[in-house]
Amino acid sequence: MNRRIGVLFGLLIAACAQARPLYVDGFEPPSIAPLFPVANGQFQLPPGPAADQLGWLIGELAAGQTTTIPEIEAHFDPAWLAQTSAEATRSFIEAVRTRYPDARITDVIGLTPVRATVVIDSPGSGPPSGFVSFGTRYTGGGRITLLGVSSYGGSVQYPVDRTLTMSQAVAKFATLSSSPALLVGRIGAGGVCSAIDGHQPDTPRATASIFKIWVLGALGRGIAAGPIASAESLPMVASEIAPGGVINAEPVGTPFTIAELAALMIGISDNTATDLLHERVGRAALSQTVAAYAVAEPDLLLPFLNISEQFHLFRSFPLADALGYVQGSQAYKQQFLTERIEPLGPNSGGAYFHTDLLTSGTWRASPLDVCRAFGQLRRLPQGSEALATVDAALGAQAAQPDVRGRWDRVWYKGGSLASGAGDHVLTHAWMLENAGEDPYVVVAMANSAAGGIDPYAVQSITGRLLELVWLAR
């Protein structure tokens, strides 16, 4: 089969607190509306470039359907067609149709304005199913830039992991990196976290992109207090283009809504979306959020750097200078940031790559800190624009198949930092909730100064932990 798989503010609280509470706890269980409801056996996806084009693709998989070259040219981006011909693309779609006739989406793993990951299968068919990686442009007609279909056999777990008990799975996770930390727990009233099991759950580790939940927290607080609106338009500007941004291919000036940027930041960990929101909420609001969320060692996150600023520490200074920042006082860090990092602007590489800093010189927090952040995000007022924005962003990704369908609400954020030696940081964090019940959390943080973390081994164990939590509910 010919196939191509793409590579996957200041906060005004005092003036508004009486009229618009930032947090609400009550006796009634929260109402949890599904992000992707099912009607007549089909997922109803919110409109957007990726969802719209995915709908077209699913329609093309109907038995007896024929996909024409003009259709391919109308739906696929010129950059795709420059590497994969229209005829080869049509042949690929025909092969998928043959393998999965009349295919329907059976699981929405992730969906943002420009990326989707779903599972498809023919009605009544069992495993293997089709694991679809899909992407589009945001502008230019939202044409398709990414399409890959691989086989999914029904589990991400290795056979050896499928019978592990909770304690055995926790113990095995602790062997997968040199500096692990893990929490399996629950969130109670007031966002208080309690542990069910874990390994060093209160020990700070490098979070990689999980740090973005505090950016989302500052955003949610800003929406709740009033200075920010989820429908507000925020254009992409050159000064905030960060390494690793999927939307970097869009023209400067392209307007995104705040809600779209939040979904991009969390759902596909888009770094440019992150830096745009970091700039919009402001470093002062981010510091306030870290304090409000009771991070145990806030100095490990502060001053709260954006993506480019953090990557300048990795890439733009001699190691002694970068370590001086990491090990310095808050006053020293702030001076270094103001005088040496900020003038550099967006990062596009550098003369160095300090791999030692990937675990010791980056955003750091503990699994319990992450759990508390989930708990505070969940306490935004029920039915509010703030909670709706946060829910859509954190719900945009489930990271694995067969998770979303088991719960009324699935929130997820993960991250990684890698070098030529593989992953030095690999992190996953889920909040799993059914209406009327306290949510469960699974926060798995693998750190290795030498690199070499096996992402599939981590995926297998976290898959088993998620299954065990569901079975224990």
Side-chain angles (χ1 to χ4, degrees):
M1 177 187 297
N2 180 19
R3 72 182 184 183
R4 167 178 172 172
I5 302 176
V7 177
L8 293 142
F9 102 3
L11 191 62
L12 306 178
I13 297 175
C16 305
Q18 293 181 350
R20 305 180 71 173
L22 288 180
Y23 298 111
V24 172
D25 289 312
F27 294 102
E28 295 186 7
S31 174
I32 303 175
L35 290 179
F36 311 118
V38 177
N40 298 319
Q42 298 190 45
F43 283 96
Q44 309 300 299
L45 304 182
D52 295 347
Q53 292 284 20
L54 182 59
W56 169 80
L57 176 66
I58 296 300
E60 293 301 298
L61 301 183
Q65 180 66 274
T66 300
T67 304
T68 67
I69 293 297
E71 285 179 302
I72 296 294
E73 293 172 341
H75 286 274
F76 281 81
D77 193 75
W80 169 280
L81 295 173
Q83 297 186 38
T84 305
S85 71
E87 184 58 48
T89 302
R90 180 174 69 171
S91 296
F92 175 59
I93 293 175
E94 289 175 348
V96 176
R97 184 189 304 124
T98 298
R99 179 66 183 86
Y100 307 104
D102 296 319
R104 291 292 180 266
I105 297 173
T106 60
D107 189 6
V108 179
I109 302 169
L111 178 67
T112 74
V114 297
R115 289 291 185 271
T117 310
V118 300
V119 178
I120 61 170
D121 214 337
S122 301
S125 177
S129 303
F131 185 98
V132 181
S133 301
F134 190 81
T136 68
R137 289 282 304 275
Y138 183 79
T139 58
R143 295 182 179 184
I144 299 166
T145 60
L146 167 65
L147 175 59
V149 182
S150 55
S151 179
Y152 171 59
S155 177
V156 300
Q157 298 174 45
Y158 290 138
V160 69
D161 295 332
R162 293 176 187 173
T163 59
L164 294 178
T165 65
M166 179 73 75
S167 60
Q168 289 170 336
V170 169
K172 186 164 183 179
F173 177 80
T175 70
L176 300 180
S177 66
S178 60
S179 300
L182 173 69
L183 171 69
V184 180
R186 300 196 78 172
I187 299 173
V192 175
C193 292
S194 60
I196 297 171
D197 208 331
H199 177 84
Q200 299 185 344
D202 56 353
T203 301
R205 300 297 185 203
T207 66
S209 286
I210 285 180
F211 89 93
K212 295 170 185 177
I213 62 175
W214 287 282
V215 180
L216 185 67
L219 181 67
R221 287 162 61 87
I223 294 172
I228 300 177
S230 62
E232 175 186 332
S233 180
L234 196 62
M236 189 166 76
V237 294
S239 60
E240 303 304 327
I241 293 177
V246 173
I247 62 173
N248 291 359
E250 306 300 336
V252 170
T254 297
F256 297 87
T257 68
I258 291 289
E260 288 174 327
L261 290 171
L264 290 164
M265 174 178 70
I266 302 298
I268 57 171
S269 213
D270 189 281
N271 286 343
T272 294
T274 303
D275 280 6
L276 286 165
L277 291 175
H278 183 287
E279 177 68 14
R280 177 64 183 90
V281 300
R283 212 182 309 271
L286 287 159
S287 298
Q288 292 167 7
T289 300
V290 169
Y293 284 15
V295 173
E297 298 186 48
D299 282 1
L300 297 178
L301 285 172
L302 302 176
F304 207 100
L305 303 182
N306 69 18
I307 296 290
S308 279
E309 291 165 348
Q310 180 64 67
F311 272 74
H312 278 308
L313 279 182
F314 297 154
R315 305 298 303 267
S316 300
F317 303 102
L319 181 58
D321 292 10
L323 285 173
Y325 173 90
V326 171
Q327 298 166 0
S329 66
Q330 282 295 308
Y332 180 84
K333 287 181 178 180
Q334 185 57 59
Q335 182 178 3
F336 192 101
L337 173 61
T338 301
E339 296 180 356
R340 301 191 62 183
I341 297 178
E342 289 182 334
L344 296 176
N347 180 268
S348 58
Y352 310 94
F353 186 27
H354 305 309
T355 58
D356 288 350
L357 297 186
L358 296 178
T359 53
S360 64
T362 182
W363 311 277
R364 283 179 288 166
S366 73
L368 275 167
D369 290 327
V370 175
C371 181
R372 285 189 286 266
F374 278 144
Q376 295 305 309
L377 286 160
R378 181 177 171 271
R379 292 181 64 221
L380 288 165
Q382 293 296 315
S384 68
E385 177 188 351
L387 183 58
T389 302
V390 165
D391 187 39
L394 280 165
Q397 184 61 253
Q400 296 187 7
D402 307 315
V403 177
R404 196 183 299 277
R406 293 173 170 173
W407 303 90
D408 294 333
R409 173 182 283 153
V410 173
W411 284 1
Y412 171 81
K413 187 70 196 87
S416 63
L417 289 168
S419 73
D423 286 320
H424 295 251
V425 181
L426 184 62
T427 56
H428 298 283
W430 288 269
M431 189 191 80
L432 311 161
E433 181 176 9
N434 283 326
E437 301 175 2
D438 288 343
Y440 289 87
V441 291
V442 176
V443 184
M445 306 176 73
N447 282 200
S448 176
I453 299 171
D454 183 343
Y456 299 106
V458 171
Q459 176 181 252
S460 178
I461 289 296
T462 55
R464 179 57 179 163
L465 289 168
L466 294 175
E467 184 176 53
L468 288 165
V469 165
W470 178 68
L471 291 170
R473 74 201 188 285

